[in-house]
Every structure is written in structure tokens, then in C-alpha cells.
Amino acid sequence: MSNQPTRAELIDTYRAKARESQGSKLKKPVPVWDDDLIPSTGDKAYVHDDIDTLLDSVGIVQAYRLWCGKMEPIEGSRTESVMVSCPIPGHQDDNPSAWLNTDKDVWHCGACSEGGDKFDIAAYSNDYNVPGYKTDGSFPDLRRDMAYDLGYRVTPAIGTADIVTPLTEDESDDEDPEPAEPIFAGDKAPAPNLQVVQVPDTDKLASATADASIIEIPTDYNAEIEIAPSIEWPDIVTEGTFLREWMETCSVDDLPEEYYFWLGLMALGLATGHDVVLDDRMPVKANLFVCLFGPSGIGKSRATYPFRRLLSEALPYDAVDPYSTGVHQMAQPGSAEGLLESFSKPIVDPMTNVPSGQYAIVRGLLNIAELSSLMGRAARTGSTLRPLMIELYDANSSIQEVTVGRGVRKAEKPFCSTITTTQPKVVRDVLAKGDAESGFANRWIFAMGPPKKLVAIGGASIDVSESARLLIQIRTWTSQKRAIRMDDEALAVWTKFFDRTLVPLKMDAESSGLVARCDLTMKKAILLFAINEKASVVTKDIVERALTLWPYLAKTYSMLDSSLGTGEFDECAEAILASIARLHRSTKKWPTVYQISRAVPRRFGRDVVERVIKTMAAINEISVAPDVSGKRGRNAVRYKPATDSDPATAYK
Amino acid sequence: MKDQQNEIIDLLAKRFIARPDVHAEQWNNGGWSPKEVPFGRKLLQSHLDGKATLGHYMLSEEDECKLFAFDLDLDKPTKDRNSGMVIPIYYRLDDGTAIPINPREAWYGDNQEIVAGLTLELRSLAEILALRVRTMFDLDVAVAFSGNKGLHVYAFLGMPLPAELAIEMSNAVLGSFNEMFYATDGKNFYKHRSPAFEHVTVETFPKQAKRPNGGYGNLMKLPLGKDSRTGHKGFFVDLDAPDDVLQSTDPIPTLKGMAVQGV
């Protein structure tokens, strides 16, 4: 600064330099979800200022142009009495008898003596009830629709202001009558290209076990899980693999096959330990927490017998060998201390029999008889059981505890999978809202499936020896440590799924707390599929097959979270489908969420209906209807029954 | 010695104090209260002696300021607003294990690997910002340890200039990193996207373009004072020292804009 510029010159210079360097870039970006959950290619959501600022920027004249458009208002220099045709849709008003006041941003029609503001004009245009939208709770929806029309997508965010992001060129292209990729805004759920997993023909499955010595128990004593979602494992599990063999062996049993499916994946994880991970910001580990979900007496615990036999045969635990990769099968912990103790394996010098101060890694299977008993213990004052279990699930570090009486207790990188059971009646009490959101409940997979005919006596026995042989091969393969990556195509499929399906759910303040961690569960599924096929690189095919589990998971979580019985869920879903059809017949237009929620029987409650709509959209039972109104801007999202559910095109 | 102290006091007043008629004093719990007592030599001396901890309001009565600054603080685990669960912050050790830490506590902790790592993050980010200020605006810069949980990067404007401009300049510095900084909470808090600085948050000053009605606006702690909460004394950081340590340097050349060699 030797030439001593004047103050004015300095200000000009600094201002010019500041503007040159695009300081405005700061205003947009704010990812608000957990950084750890952002895939390396997926952080695309930014916080604009906020929806208030956005809507405040719209004056009454612009609002009239955008949402009414009956005529072009001639402003001139006037700030009031800008004459226009009345914005009320039913009012023909060829000789303009309404006027806009730009000072106060209001309008009034002299002919019909009605008046209002820009929100009313937008509400007429988007088929809201005027002035009902002000009191019936749909005002937030209207604001989101308005933002849409202005070229912004609004996504409700958890614990912070709504996220306002500009629509991309493709998204805001009015010319395209049928957007190829429906987008998500607020409570308008996405319509990912997911196929509906069909409930298999239970008779056919049961006939596999037909045997003269078998006495069959009718299943209608338990209608509640009659319509539980199912997994079409023969379509997604590669032949000749451990999981295929395991499923083929176990599916002769009379229990829901989904139980065995998740247990099979869990076995793969236990054979793997920390040795193979999915490469991510926080490497994804192969352990699972599975809760077998079904009414008492169905034989949930029975499903664990062949599973535990498999582990004993293929992955025996050696309590002395510090390098044992076997599975330590543990009983229910009495306390957090007891649990930590189970994973603590001090290495003793074999020559001197003195502890070396080092600890061995333990792979453990925690077997908890009933979820509610664990929750009961965890709920005791001062219990650290729950946070400890969360740490065990996350499996990222060693856990050390120093107590005055007992000295140091350390679990060296514990690898913990957990299995438990619960009943429908109990689970919703157990998963009190606090738990669903506490990050504890959402670490569990709730395995459920359509029941088969129960066998009272006799039936097929399960021989796990071939499965065990294949599982040993998996363990040998995994003994070479590796971090598996997705190849480019796989990453593209995953990122698309993440952005289109999971992010909106995560961002939706009203969506289930249970789905908050669903991306981690999906990543674990991808990893386990890769391990099952001994694939060092995750291919597109693996990701696509793993992603077919999503409708299943979404439905299980939704059913648990919405305080709906599975029967009620489907009853509500049916009512929704019927309402959509009825509204379409009468109005010739596919209805909006708001219209549907008004049309279904009141007993379901509007929030339940909206939640079920979201789930139905997420699992492609309904989809976003193309916008055919030809109106400027984007209109309210409308739903129609899904027609395209071809699995071959999913995610491609 | 006395002369030196006087020179420092003069430089502090010249470089920092935009609003001389009022100052702020820090309480022992870390809070601040305004005192409508003008800054004077005696007062500033008590600040340097550690007897009082003074803060300077950024904006003059004419809504002008003498500097803009980046307050680099170590992050701390926060609670998820929705669930009340603490969101852990991890530190990846050299052996690859990630452990949950509270960076603010860990910086004063026993694990030297973490202490050095966090210092490196703070130092590197401070130097990057200081360098960018220099290259973009050719301003004198200084980096100071705040006495508590991080560093301040000061960019001295040379004369009182509109606060609005100072805000534009600080935003331009962050914006020049091509969206690498993103706002986290309100308009003045930022984080850098890369894992290299994942434990540090950046707050920009001044925060207001105009003083709020009836108020003084935000303040910053004057450098070289003692933090009332931690008892640590602040100092200007020697940017020629190794990157993972904080060493003090002579404040006089720093405040004169002559000493920031590394930048």
C-alpha cells in the first residue's frame, strides 16, 4: 500500500476484488445431514436462505402473473389500482374488476367483493381450499408448492429450517410433460423405480414340506403378520454360494424364510469380522442386529437353532487362542459391564501365564431372548447398556472402561452381531418414540415374513453341514483383509438410490426415525452380498440385487413406526388406492396428498394416511402422476397407482 | 520494557479498537458484559497483565470496523436437536482406528498424537486463510491463539471501513475456496468440507453490517489477554515454527504487519 490510495479508492478496490471472488458461493451450501452418511459423490443439497426469504421476494403482481395469469397486469407507475381480472377461478370477469395493491401486496375484486394476498392466488392455482388452507394445516404444503413454482425444491429438514434448493434445469423444465425422474418436495414422496415385492404363494411354499406324517396347524390364528412383506431370495441370491445353500436348506422349514435370510447374512458377517469392510468415510462393517419379529408360538427362537449349529460347526470359538476367528456365542448380558466383559479377551503370555496387557479381538454373537427384556435392563437408571450396544454396533473402535474396583476392562475392536426376538404387540411399546429416534432401535433389522403352515410334529430337519462347508470357505476368503469398493457403475446406481430415495426420507422431519440409518443397513446388505459372492469389487449387479431389499425394509420400518398393525397398514393402503381411483373418476385428475387424505376414512388420521402414502410411494405401490395441466411452473404432486414395477428396469 | 508495553498498547488500539468509547469485560464463566468506559492506556495495560480480559466491539458508531477476522474453533460434540442423542466426533489415529473425542478437551489432553493433529489442523487452516487474505486484498494479517479453543486470523483493513464491506470481504475469502466452506449454523459459522479440517469450525467477524438497534453488535476478545475461563494467555502465533505446535512470537512486528513471514 505504498501509493496511499484514498479511502474511497480502497473501498472500491476491495469491493471489486470481493465480488470477483464469488463470495456468493457461501450463501448456498449447507449440507445438514450427518456428514458420515454422505456418500462421496452425493453431497448435492444446499441450504439457500430460507423459504420465507424466497416467498417474501414475490410481490403481488408477480404472484398474479405466475399463479393466475388471466391477463397481463399493467403496472405503469401505479402502486395501487393495478386492474386485473379477478383471480378467483370461478369468476369469469372479462372486464377486469379486481385491482392489485403493490404497497400492501393484496388484491381486491370489486365485483365479487372478495380479496386476499399472494398466498390466496397461489392456493387457487394449486387447488387448495381457500381460505381453508389457512386453518386446515395445509399452509406449509402451499408454501412448498409456491417455492416449487418459483423453481425451488423444499425439503423439510430434521431439527433445522427447511432446505431450499434450486431445481435443476431438467427438473424445472415445463416442456417435459412427464418428468423422467419425479422429484421430492416436502411430503411429496419420490417414486423410485422400485418393484413391489410380491407376497409369495404360501401354499406352494408349504407344499415343499408336505409329508404324510405332518399335522398342519392353520395360520389364521395370527392374521397380523399374514401380509408381512417378503423377500424373493431365489431371485437375488446367486446359485452355488453359501447364502443360496443356506436358504435352500432352511426353507424346507415351516418358519418365515425371511428369518433365515437375515440369519444367513448375519453368518456371513460373523465369518468376516473386521477383515472385509465396505470402503466409505467410516468403513462399513459386516455385523447386523436382527430382531425376529412375529407372534409368540410361531417358533422365532427355533429359527436360531440351525443358525447356532452352523456357527458352532463352521466358526468354533477358541477362548484361549488370541487369533481365534470363531464366534463367541454369548447369552443375554445382565449389565453393560457384563457385556463388555464378554468381549474382553486379555492376551496371556503362554510362557509366564502373565497378562501381556494386550487384548484379542472377539467376534461375538449376542443372543437375547426377547427384545423387551434387553430394553428393560437398558432402561434402568444409570444403565450404559444402550450406548454400549450402539458402540458395539458401530464397531469402530476399542472400548475401554476403568473402574476403581476392577481395574481396566477393555474390549479390543469388538465385532458384535446380535439376535433377538419380539412380538408385534410388544414391539410398539418397546419402541417408544424416544427409542426409535435414539439411534438404538434404528440399528435393528426387524425380520418378518409371511407365515407358512405351521407343522405341529415331524417336519423337515435341517442339515447345516454343507452350509458350514461353504461358510468356512468364506472365512478363508475373508481372512485376507480388504476394503471392498464399488466400481463406477455400482456407485452410480447406489448414488442414484441414495439421492432419490434415502435423502428425501432422511430430510423429511415427519418420516420415521427408524429410517434414519437405513442407508447404513443398505450398505451392509451390499457388503454382505459381495462377501457371499467373494467379490473384491462391488458390481452394479450386486448393488441392484441388494437394493431390492429396500421395499421390504421400508415396509417393516413403516409398519413399526406408524403404530399401525400390519393389517391396518394394508387396510389404509387399500383405502388410499380406492380414494385415488374414486377421485380420478370424479375429477379426471390424479389427486394430491391433501386430497387423498381428505378422501380416506377419518379413522386413519391424516398423519397416518400421509405416512402410508409416503411408504407406498417409496415401495412403488403408487407413483407420481405426470403433470398434464400445462400450467406454468410446477404444480402440486399428484399420485396414481403404480403400473411399472418391472424389476429389470429398477435403478437402471 | 515499559516502552515495549506502551508500543503494544498503541498498536492494539490502532489495529483493533474501532469503538473506543465502550469496551467489554469477560467474566470468570466466559460471558461478557459491556462497560461504557472508554479504552485507556491503563485499561489496556490491565488486559496485558492478565488482570482484566477485554473485548472490543467490532463496529464503530458509524458502522465501520478496522478489521475482519476468522475465529477458528475446535468443534465439540453436539446433541441432535431431534433425538437429543450426542453426535460423536471421531478422530482417526495414525493406526487407522477412529475414536470419539471432544476436540476441545482432547486439545488439552494427554494424547500427544491428537494434540499435535488438532494443532496442525488449526494452524494449517489459519495459514491458508491468512495467505488468501494477503493474495486477494494485500492486507496485513496476524494469527493469534485465543487463550481457549482455537485461533483468530485477523485481516487489518488499515483504516476504518464500512462493516458491510468487511463482511463482503470475509465472505469473499471463504467463497474463493470454491464451495469448500459451507455454512453450518446461521450466517457466520462455516466448516470446511475436507476431512483435513474436520475438527475446526470457522466463524466470521464482523457479523453485522449495522449495529443492531440500541446495541453494540458482536465483540471479539482482544488478543494477548488472559482467557478468564481457562486462565490461558493469548499470544500471536509464530507461523515459522513447526506446523503442529503453537509458539508465541513478538507481537510488535506482527502488529506492524512485518512479521508474518510464512504467509
Side-chain angles (χ1 to χ4, degrees), chain A residues 268 272 276 286 474 477-478 484 527-535:
Chain A
L268 283 165
T272 303
V276 178
I474 294 282
W477 180 78
T478 59
I484 302 183
L527 170 64
L528 290 165
F529 270 55
I531 292 168
N532 184 49
E533 288 158 38
K534 300 179 195 163

Side-chain angles (χ1 to χ4, degrees), chain B residues 2-18 39-41 44-45 47-48 56 66-67 140 142 154 156-159 222-224 236 249-259:
Chain B
K2 182 100 184 163
D3 285 350
Q4 245 185 0
Q5 291 277 307
N6 279 337
E7 191 171 2
I8 293 171
I9 287 170
D10 289 346
L11 283 166
L12 281 181
K14 180 182 162 200
R15 289 295 206 183
F16 288 87
I17 298 166
F39 276 104
R41 203 166 277 282
L44 286 165
Q45 185 64 54
H47 174 78
L48 295 181
H56 61 107
K66 289 185 170 177
L67 59 95
D140 290 337
Y154 300 108
F156 301 112
L157 296 169
M159 65 174 77
L222 264 185
L224 302 177
F236 285 100
T249 185
D250 188 346
I252 295 175
T254 305
L255 287 172
K256 284 181 169 172
M258 304 186 314

Side-chain angles (χ1 to χ4, degrees), chain B residues 2-109:
Chain B
K2 182 100 184 163
D3 285 350
Q4 245 185 0
Q5 291 277 307
N6 279 337
E7 191 171 2
I8 293 171
I9 287 170
D10 289 346
L11 283 166
L12 281 181
K14 180 182 162 200
R15 289 295 206 183
F16 288 87
I17 298 166
R19 168 124 203 183
D21 60 326
V22 53
H23 72 275
E25 264 185 58
Q26 194 183 27
W27 308 336
N28 287 338
N29 68 2
W32 294 87
S33 58
K35 291 247 161 84
E36 290 183 347
V37 176
F39 276 104
R41 203 166 277 282
K42 226 180 190 172
L43 198 59
L44 286 165
Q45 185 64 54
S46 71
H47 174 78
L48 295 181
D49 295 344
K51 291 173 189 156
T53 306
L54 304 185
H56 61 107
Y57 289 96
M58 296 298 293
L59 269 56
S60 71
E61 284 191 283
E62 294 76 35
D63 295 324
E64 291 182 334
C65 54
K66 289 185 170 177
L67 59 95
F68 63 87
F70 303 100
D71 179 11
L72 275 53
D73 284 334
L74 288 170
D75 214 349
K76 65 173 178 194
T78 50
K79 280 193 177 170
D80 181 89
R81 287 183 224 178
N82 205 34
S83 65
M85 278 281 292
V86 173
I87 303 164
I89 295 176
Y90 289 91
Y91 187 92
R92 194 170 290 284
L93 295 168
D94 288 344
D95 67 6
T97 48
I99 58 169
I101 61 166
N102 178 342
R104 292 186 186 178
E105 287 169 8
W107 201 33
Y108 290 102

Side-chain angles (χ1 to χ4, degrees), chain A residues 1 5-7 10-15 17-19 21-32 34-36 43 45-46 49 158-161 280-283 390-391 394 396-398 413 434 437-440 443 509, chain B residues 64 80-85 87-88 90 92 95-100 135-140 156-162 164-165 168-179 181-185 187 190-191 193 198:
Chain A
M1 282 174 279
T6 64
R7 178 187 148 89
L10 257 188
I11 291 176
D12 286 347
T13 314
Y14 288 154
R15 184 156 284 146
K17 284 181 179 170
R19 290 188 178 163
S21 88
Q22 307 163 352
S24 60
K25 280 182 181 171
L26 286 169
K27 289 179 187 159
K28 282 192 275 179
V30 180
V32 293
D34 183 351
D35 272 0
D36 286 336
D43 50 346
Y46 303 119
D49 284 326
I158 296 167
T160 177
D280 199 353
R281 187 174 296 195
M282 296 292 274
I390 290 175
E391 274 195 73
D394 294 348
N396 277 318
S397 52
S398 302
K413 294 191 191 164
E437 289 173 359
S438 74
F440 186 61
R443 284 171 165 79
Chain B
E64 291 182 334
D80 181 89
R81 287 183 224 178
N82 205 34
S83 65
M85 278 281 292
I87 303 164
Y90 289 91
R92 194 170 290 284
D95 67 6
T97 48
I99 58 169
T135 50
M136 279 176 69
F137 298 112
D138 195 21
L139 294 178
D140 290 337
F156 301 112
L157 296 169
M159 65 174 77
L161 291 178
E164 186 193 354
L165 175 64
E168 206 172 326
M169 291 167 80
S170 64
N171 284 342
V173 172
L174 296 186
S176 71
F177 290 88
N178 275 320
E179 303 191 4
F181 286 94
Y182 61 91
T184 55
D185 186 12
K187 287 183 181 162
Y190 299 91
K191 255 185 94 71
R193 273 183 208 285
E198 65 187 340

Side-chain angles (χ1 to χ4, degrees), chain A residues 69-85:
Chain A
K70 281 188 181 176
M71 61 172 284
E72 175 58 30
I74 302 158
E75 262 185 286
S77 57
R78 271 173 297 195
T79 56
E80 53 187 332
S81 304
V82 179
M83 295 306 292
V84 288
S85 292

